[in-house]
Amino acid sequence: MPFPTHRMRRLRRTESLRSLVRETSLEPRNFILPLFVCPGEGVRREIGAMPGNFQMSVDQIVAECSKAVGLGIGGVLLFGIPETKDEAASGAYDDNGIVQRAVRAIKSSVPKLLVLTDVCNCEYTSHGHCGKIAGGDVDNDATLEWLAATALSHAKAGADIVAPSDMMDGRVAAIRKALDGAGYLNTPILAYAAKFASVFYGPFREAAESAPQFGDRRSYQMDPPNAREALREMELDLEEGADMLMVKPAMPYLDIVRLARDRFDVPLAAYQVSGEFSMIMAAARNGWLDEKRAMMESLTCIKRAGADIILTYFAKQAARLLA
Ligand code: PBG
């Protein structure tokens, strides 16, 4: 007879007991803070739908990175807002582009902090799509050249890890080849392997000024109902040479995180995207949710589902609470 011999509540009675048997805990070293770098000096423009997040010029980004390292955060992920956009996304692979300049500045003043770069074209194209447009759609193979050139210019600037987020087929192999060919044998690739065409990227597109000017991203990002396909995407990225995998978004896709954790033995990241952050912030500002608890519960559960690394706009706040 399980009851009354067994009483699950025995180990929940006090915080000390709960703490003793707690299965999952968060550590700031596993957090990656996404940052938006823009032209200018002394610029710090708050993003409307993402309270506490800013478009920042290089000098401000460097200051932010010093804070991040002080809090024990593992790394930052850089997105660029270029001076100008064009059809060929030339700002993405310009050795003197906004992200490249930011990487050099961060690595020279906060060398210990890992700098990851998002490798994608949507912030740099005038049409806001993630690649070269041909016949009303993104041309996969032509886009690979831009991506390889971008990843290489990030590595040259000193990026510790490159993270392609475009969802073109073959990009991991193309990037690996370009990096290896130029001697960057040791630059790891974190592949946004299972990236879904999600409505939860909404606030980010305001932050990065990267909303597509026509159509949507459904011909390259994944269809949200598909889990088996996500595993296949991840398997292909590993075969092409990805060192780490990412699932994105996180919370509505925790089943994918768990499937990936059980199937693959590489480090696994999950990206708590802008919409996930904004929902919690909006509810908290309305007095409908406790902000700190919602933040910590969401992050803990992403980790419990199997993520080793969490990309989150809450990185600083959570690290402060954990200190
Ligand atoms: C670039 C990119 C996006 C995000 C990360 N990299 C936007 C998109 O695919 O439209 C979303 C991040 C977020 O919502 O926080 N392609």
Side-chain angles (χ1 to χ4, degrees), residues 87-135:
E87 290 273 305
S90 41
Y93 41 85
D94 177 353
D95 283 340
N96 210 22
I98 186 77
V99 164
Q100 290 82 351
R101 277 182 273 146
V103 172
R104 283 194 290 267
I106 298 166
K107 288 315 292 185
S108 77
S109 54
V110 200
K112 207 180 116 196
L113 184 70
L114 289 174
V115 176
L116 289 74
T117 54
D118 183 89
V119 177
C120 196
N121 297 300
C122 60
E123 298 118 64
Y124 305 91
T125 50
S126 39
H127 45 70
H129 275 288
C130 299
K132 183 173 181 175
I133 296 293

Side-chain angles (χ1 to χ4, degrees), residues 118 120 122 165 195 201 204-205 217 221 248 274 313:
D118 183 89
C120 196
C122 60
S165 70
K195 175 174 177 181
Y201 307 149
F204 172 94
R205 292 180 186 168
R217 303 209 204 287
Q221 298 180 352
K248 178 185 171 190
S274 56
Y313 301 97

Side-chain angles (χ1 to χ4, degrees), residues 291-308:
E291 182 185 321
K292 289 196 174 98
R293 289 186 53 203
M295 162 177 86
M296 293 314 260
E297 185 174 327
S298 65
L299 294 170
T300 303
C301 295
I302 291 167
K303 182 124 186 236
R304 188 206 59 223
D308 305 300

Side-chain angles (χ1 to χ4, degrees), residues 244-265:
M244 297 180 275
L245 296 173
M246 190 200 299
V247 174
K248 178 185 171 190
M251 225 157 52
Y253 297 84
L254 292 185
D255 56 328
I256 313 287
V257 172
R258 171 46 54 190
L259 285 169
R261 176 69 297 150
D262 290 344
R263 171 99 49 119
F264 305 112
D265 289 325

Side-chain angles (χ1 to χ4, degrees), residues 1 17 29 42 47 51 81 87 89 108 113 118 141 167 200 215 218 242 245 261 265-266 279 284 291 301 318 322:
M1 256 245 289
L17 281 165
R29 68 184 172 90
I47 299 151
I81 298 135
E87 290 273 305
S108 77
L113 184 70
D118 183 89
D141 299 16
M167 290 301 279
F200 294 106
R218 280 183 256 200
L245 296 173
R261 176 69 297 150
D265 289 325
V266 294
M279 284 194 296
E291 182 185 321
C301 295
L322 291 167

Side-chain angles (χ1 to χ4, degrees), residues 152-212:
L152 181 55
S153 77
H154 290 173
K156 277 196 226 156
D160 294 292
I161 299 171
V162 293
S165 70
D166 52 286
M167 290 301 279
M168 296 303 124
D169 291 318
R171 81 266 165 85
V172 173
I175 290 170
R176 187 72 270 157
K177 190 167 161 230
L179 292 174
D180 288 358
Y184 294 92
L185 308 173
N186 290 317
T187 303
I189 300 175
L190 166 60
Y192 284 69
K195 175 174 177 181
F196 290 85
S198 173
V199 72
F200 294 106
Y201 307 149
F204 172 94
R205 292 180 186 168
E206 175 203 333
E209 301 175 9
S210 66

